[in-house]
Amino acid sequence: MSVRDIHPSRQLKGEILVPGDKSISHRAVMFGSLAKGDTRISHFLSGADCLSTISCFRKMGVPIEMEKGQVLVHGNGLHGLRAPEEVLDTGNSGTTTRLIAGILAGQSFPSVLSGDDSLNSRPMGRIMTPLNQMGAHITSIRENGCAPLRIEPGRLHGIHYTSPVASAQVKSAVLLAGLYAEGETSVTEPALSRNHTELMLQGFGASLTSTVHPDGTATASVLPCSELFARDIRVPGDISSAAYFIAAGLLTPGSEILVRNVGLNPTRAGFLTVCQNMGAKLSLQNKTTQGGEEMADILVSSGPLHGTVIEGSLIPSLIDEIPILAVMAAFADGTTVIRDAAELKVKETNRIDTVTENLSAMGADVTPTEDGMIIRGGKALHGAQIHSHLDHRIAMAFTVAALAADGPSSILDSQCVDVSYPAFFQELDALCGR
Ligand code: S3P
């Protein structure tokens, strides 16, 4: 087991370019594989999750080259995937599993998808239901609604699916299957989830529309298409990775850091809204847009934070940042309430439990609820042994907590950061001047 000792840090200074966005990196490989021609992806995230996606498409006959953060996908065209000779191993990655399931549903060959223990305990009924309604034949091999999944060929027809959850993975799986279906396919979700699939598929030539309705629900629709066309993608920095440095900069007195090229797609930027609601000092510089994706540099200066309420349609735009927001809340004055976030229970770990366990171990006052948690901030946190439970976001969020706490901490199974941020500890050490 890998264990990382973390000592409190006085201040963070300097600049950082966080790795490429995980959601966008996955999609660039997937859509590039299905497109005709070469897709060159720069600032690609070479974390374990995105490497799982590359490995699955290589097993389906797509030549993919990788060199120093650049990936070159020689697309086989929409109907050019080949039957894999073995199980497609999706590792720890929900995005790989659910999005590829949507693509596989439209193929003329059978396949099996399986991942690690965490992945194979996450719910897959949420994609099996709509995909099977479209005419796919997807079964859970252990009959427990989870992977391993067996996918048999089927003829797909478009459906209008109303998803009970705001999930970009569900929406994307259905839209991708829709590329292979007869007629229009649409997905309505209770609130708009990240829209990278919609933006990027349009860029690859798919016919797609999306609307946010006055009541806050959102619908994306796609028409079947005969071909997608390759294009180059520059992946923005991942706001989910930037969040750890922004939090560390806010929490450690005397800090001033510049986080460069951070993706600020509004469906992902809820973390910044909450930081501002908590009184954080942040300023955005050098704003640009590429491929429909907004990005900017973020200047962070330390300062006091106060409690807030995090709820409603904001939740999908910051769902992966809740562990680090909970840490910030523990150091803030006053109470923070997080609600409407039951999805936390079905992430890489049950993050209501894993956040509560580790905040409590550090002496914070936290009460878990059915759909979130209540954190009464302002108590001094002390160092502790942190159980990451192999969840990369728990390991990184509590590394930041350990920097701002009194006394040393240790992060168990710290290597799990490789899933989304292999150089996390080295880059944090550099900003801490270590
Ligand atoms: C992702 C969507 C979100 C997010 C995950 C990445 C994606 O999951 O938590 O880390 O790339 O589509 P859900 O769609 O299950 O909310």
Side-chain angles (χ1 to χ4, degrees), residues 22-23 26-27 95 98-99 122 126 166-170 172 194 319-320 343 347-348 393:
K22 183 152 81 68
S23 295
H26 279 298
R27 287 159 171 82
T95 306
R98 297 193 177 111
L99 270 61
R122 296 177 66 185
R126 54 179 58 197
S167 160
Q169 295 181 357
V170 172
S172 303
R194 63 191 68 191
I319 187 73
D320 293 340
E343 278 292 297
K347 296 297 174 188
E348 286 83 332
R393 301 214 182 277

Side-chain angles (χ1 to χ4, degrees), residues 66-237:
M66 280 190 78
E67 203 181 310
K68 291 196 203 123
Q70 283 244 354
V71 171
L72 181 59
V73 184
H74 302 284
N76 282 8
L78 198 60
H79 299 279
L81 296 181
R82 288 209 304 267
E85 281 168 10
E86 46 189 312
V87 169
L88 295 172
D89 182 358
T90 58
N92 190 242
S93 176
T95 306
T96 310
T97 312
R98 297 193 177 111
L99 270 61
I100 289 189
I103 294 169
L104 291 173
Q107 306 305 313
S108 55
F109 52 78
S111 50
V112 175
L113 286 174
S114 185
D116 66 13
D117 290 345
S118 154
L119 188 280
N120 285 353
S121 63
R122 296 177 66 185
M124 292 297 151
R126 54 179 58 197
I127 52 144
M128 288 161 65
T129 300
L131 294 175
N132 287 343
Q133 276 175 20
M134 293 177 78
H137 299 288
I138 307 184
T139 47
S140 159
I141 291 175
R142 296 184 188 139
E143 296 181 2
N144 60 357
C146 301
L149 301 177
R150 174 173 291 115
I151 304 176
E152 304 286 348
R155 254 180 89 93
L156 304 186
H157 53 83
I159 58 167
H160 299 287
Y161 184 63
T162 301
S163 173
V165 281
S167 160
Q169 295 181 357
V170 172
K171 171 174 64 177
S172 303
V174 176
L175 294 175
L176 287 167
L179 294 175
Y180 296 94
E182 210 180 293
E184 190 193 57
T185 298
S186 67
V187 184
T188 297
E189 46 183 354
L192 181 63
S193 65
R194 63 191 68 191
N195 63 356
H196 307 301
T197 295
E198 295 92 303
L199 293 176
M200 204 188 289
L201 267 184
Q202 271 167 341
F204 276 84
S207 175
L208 202 139
T209 55
S210 51
T211 321
V212 178
H213 307 290
D215 64 354
T217 62
T219 302
S221 312
V222 71
L223 290 174
C225 79
S226 49
E227 209 55 275
L228 296 176
F229 299 97
R231 52 174 290 233
D232 290 348
I233 305 273
R234 165 144 188 91
V235 182

Side-chain angles (χ1 to χ4, degrees), residues 104-417:
L104 291 173
Q107 306 305 313
S108 55
F109 52 78
S111 50
V112 175
L113 286 174
S114 185
D116 66 13
D117 290 345
S118 154
L119 188 280
N120 285 353
S121 63
R122 296 177 66 185
M124 292 297 151
R126 54 179 58 197
I127 52 144
M128 288 161 65
T129 300
L131 294 175
N132 287 343
Q133 276 175 20
M134 293 177 78
H137 299 288
I138 307 184
T139 47
S140 159
I141 291 175
R142 296 184 188 139
E143 296 181 2
N144 60 357
C146 301
L149 301 177
R150 174 173 291 115
I151 304 176
E152 304 286 348
R155 254 180 89 93
L156 304 186
H157 53 83
I159 58 167
H160 299 287
Y161 184 63
T162 301
S163 173
V165 281
S167 160
Q169 295 181 357
V170 172
K171 171 174 64 177
S172 303
V174 176
L175 294 175
L176 287 167
L179 294 175
Y180 296 94
E182 210 180 293
E184 190 193 57
T185 298
S186 67
V187 184
T188 297
E189 46 183 354
L192 181 63
S193 65
R194 63 191 68 191
N195 63 356
H196 307 301
T197 295
E198 295 92 303
L199 293 176
M200 204 188 289
L201 267 184
Q202 271 167 341
F204 276 84
S207 175
L208 202 139
T209 55
S210 51
T211 321
V212 178
H213 307 290
D215 64 354
T217 62
T219 302
S221 312
V222 71
L223 290 174
C225 79
S226 49
E227 209 55 275
L228 296 176
F229 299 97
R231 52 174 290 233
D232 290 348
I233 305 273
R234 165 144 188 91
V235 182
D238 197 328
I239 189 166
S240 300
S241 299
Y244 305 107
F245 294 98
I246 294 171
L250 292 172
L251 294 178
T252 46
S255 296
E256 187 168 283
I257 56 171
L258 184 69
V259 192
R260 288 176 41 225
N261 263 333
V262 182
L264 292 181
N265 179 319
T267 64
R268 292 287 299 284
F271 173 76
L272 297 183
T273 306
V274 175
C275 285
Q276 274 151 358
N277 292 347
M278 295 178 86
K281 288 192 224 155
L282 301 176
S283 71
L284 303 185
Q285 307 175 344
N286 301 321
K287 289 191 196 172
T288 52
T289 303
Q290 273 179 29
E293 297 284 353
E294 297 170 33
M295 52 191 109
D297 299 337
I298 304 177
L299 184 65
V300 186
S301 315
S302 57
L305 300 177
H306 52 77
T308 188
V309 178
I310 308 173
E311 62 181 351
S313 59
L314 206 51
I315 295 291
S317 69
L318 48 67
I319 187 73
D320 293 340
E321 287 67 77
I322 290 182
I324 187 64
L325 283 168
V327 165
M328 289 164 58
F331 286 98
D333 287 330
T335 299
T336 293
V337 179
I338 302 171
R339 59 168 84 99
D340 305 322
E343 278 292 297
L344 289 172
K345 295 180 188 169
V346 291
K347 296 297 174 188
E348 286 83 332
T349 56
N350 176 334
R351 289 183 179 157
I352 296 181
D353 288 353
T354 48
V355 167
T356 302
E357 173 193 346
N358 287 307
L359 275 184
S360 304
M362 298 184 89
D365 183 345
V366 51
T367 308
T369 63
E370 253 318 290
D371 63 350
M373 56 198 98
I374 300 166
I375 299 157
R376 290 167 207 85
K379 279 181 79 178
L381 265 56
H382 54 76
Q385 194 174 64
I386 299 300
H387 291 265
S388 71
H389 298 282
L390 293 170
D391 182 336
H392 56 134
R393 301 214 182 277
I394 297 297
M396 291 188 277
F398 282 89
T399 296
V400 173
L403 287 182
D406 297 326
S409 298
S410 51
I411 314 285
L412 305 185
D413 284 317
S414 54
Q415 213 49 52
C416 64
V417 301

